[in-house]
Amino acid sequence: MGYALNLNARSSLKLYGQYLWSRQGSDTVRLSSGESVKFSAVDSQRARLGARWSHTVSQNGKAYLGAAWEHEYDGKASATLLLVLQGYHLATPDLKGDTGIVEAGFSLTPTANQPLTLDVGVQGYAGKRKGVTGSFRLNYRF
């Protein structure tokens, strides 16, 4: 869900809320040492509230800056080391908690003569999840 506000002829502010659910299935893998590790299925449920400011810099180019808060409700993973007669539970991560996200990027949108979209951005994460990611998206419409 979201709401877009036009601040002036060249700038806009989008406010949004998202619910994200993902599932990764279970699997068993054999290590080179001969033991097997069984990974259980993982469900992740997150809610995100954020804002993104966009500013038109050319006829079809926009720069953007954004910030968001995300809460992970559940995201436990578990694994078991399977030896010949018994299984040992391994220490596994728990992603439950809050994360702050900031982003910046540039987007070229298509025109009637140019059906190509290009988006380049960087995102930073602080809190439960930490790190930096980059994105490069290229889309051709025909």
Side-chain angles (χ1 to χ4, degrees), residues 28-52:
T28 301
V29 296
R30 182 173 288 290
L31 304 176
S32 60
S33 60
E35 291 93 0
S36 293
V37 179
K38 181 178 181 181
F39 295 94
S40 65
V42 178
D43 284 298
S44 172
Q45 297 182 53
R46 297 174 293 176
R48 183 184 292 178
L49 297 174
R52 180 188 270 191

Side-chain angles (χ1 to χ4, degrees), residues 102-124:
V102 294
E103 66 174 340
F106 188 79
S107 180
L108 288 172
T109 56
T111 62
N113 298 332
Q114 179 187 3
L116 190 64
T117 302
L118 171 67
D119 186 89
V120 179
V122 64
Q123 300 84 31

Side-chain angles (χ1 to χ4, degrees), residues 75-95:
K76 293 180 183 177
S78 66
T80 304
L81 179 62
L82 304 172
L83 298 175
V84 176
L85 296 175
Q86 49 193 323
Y88 293 97
H89 292 283
L90 303 174
T92 54
D94 180 4
L95 296 176

